[in-house]
Amino acid sequence: MQNSAEKITQTEAESETPVASSLELAVFPLPIFLLPGGRQRLRIFEPKYLAMVARAAQGEGFILATQDDTNSENLSSWGTKVTIVDFNMSDDQILEIDVEGQKLVQLHCPFRSENGLIHSQFRPLPHWPDLECKVPNVFSAFLTQLFRDHDSIRTLYPTPDFESPQWICARLLEMMPIPLEKKTEFTEPASFPSLVPFLNQIITGQ
């Protein structure tokens, strides 16, 4: 790290567990909630993020993490490592990239480089276990209708997995207008059983 780099304050207490490796990636702070398997289209125009994308396109990827809108120095202690799956140039000549969530990660010792780009060490975080489970049929029907109604969603997922309960619930949680703080509660590995009734209440009103 360069001496001029500024340390970024994290909004949550850092984990006391030692970082498993010295892996380090650029961090893109955005008010976006993305789980493994989820996709998002991002518009890139600032020079520091264009440089980030150029490096990430070589296979490294980068990390999406939320940032407190009231204090640009407050960065979430966790994020989602993403890879770039598609590039496009918009009608207004802005670079657009489609990214896919690979895994949740714990951020450790984030810092800001001289060009303003945030970097951080990270370690993988566990998410929902891949166990057999069932969700109400209304979940898949509701998500399928969202895909039919919105081209922007449908084009992001050329091969949706409507047979996977975890995939269905993850996409619903990402897409539905739920406060970010509430969504974050369902990043814990044991949170899936409580997510199902939560989503059912929102979709059915029961």
Side-chain angles (χ1 to χ4, degrees):
M1 299 182 186
Q2 298 176 350
N3 293 333
S4 59
E6 301 175 8
K7 185 176 181 181
I8 306 300
T9 302
Q10 293 182 324
T11 57
E12 304 174 16
E14 289 195 7
S15 170
E16 295 180 358
T17 304
V19 176
S21 71
S22 59
L23 294 175
E24 182 181 291
L25 281 178
V27 179
F28 198 172
L30 288 172
I32 290 175
F33 181 83
L34 194 69
L35 294 174
R39 292 191 173 192
Q40 184 73 42
R41 179 162 294 173
L42 307 176
R43 287 167 58 86
I44 309 296
F45 50 88
E46 291 188 54
K48 62 183 178 182
Y49 294 124
L50 289 170
M52 177 193 74
V53 167
R55 183 167 182 176
Q58 299 175 12
E60 293 184 342
F62 58 92
I63 297 170
L64 284 179
T66 58
Q67 194 172 51
D68 188 346
D69 289 338
T70 63
N71 186 343
S72 62
E73 295 305 308
N74 282 347
L75 187 71
S76 172
S77 63
W78 70 278
T80 305
K81 183 181 181 296
V82 302
T83 58
I84 301 172
V85 295
D86 199 9
F87 292 86
N88 185 49
M89 192 65 70
S90 67
D91 292 339
D92 54 358
Q93 299 303 301
I94 298 294
L95 175 65
E96 295 180 337
I97 62 172
D98 293 347
V99 298
E100 180 175 282
Q102 299 297 304
K103 57 188 174 183
L104 302 183
V105 296
Q106 179 81 41
L107 303 184
H108 180 72
C109 299
F111 68 98
R112 194 183 299 275
S113 61
E114 289 185 338
N115 70 351
L117 189 64
I118 299 172
H119 294 260
S120 181
Q121 295 180 27
F122 67 93
R123 65 178 179 88
L125 288 174
H127 194 219
W128 306 329
D130 189 16
L131 301 175
E132 290 189 11
C133 56
K134 292 184 178 181
V135 297
N137 291 333
V138 68
F139 283 24
S140 57
F142 188 84
L143 185 61
T144 299
Q145 191 62 48
L146 285 177
F147 271 67
R148 290 172 178 168
D149 293 343
H150 300 280
D151 290 341
S152 59
I153 296 175
R154 190 167 56 251
T155 56
L156 279 175
Y157 295 95
T159 56
D161 190 0
F162 292 120
E163 300 300 317
S164 167
Q166 286 93 344
W167 193 90
I168 292 171
C169 288
R171 304 296 78 80
L172 287 173
L173 184 61
E174 291 166 347
M175 296 176 189
M176 297 184 74
I178 302 168
L180 185 59
E181 295 78 10
K182 184 64 179 179
K183 291 184 178 186
T184 302
E185 295 179 11
F186 299 106
T187 58
E188 296 296 327
S191 64
F192 187 78
S194 61
L195 174 62
V196 175
F198 175 75
L199 289 175
N200 189 60
Q201 183 178 23
I202 294 177
I203 293 172
T204 66
Q206 300 177 358

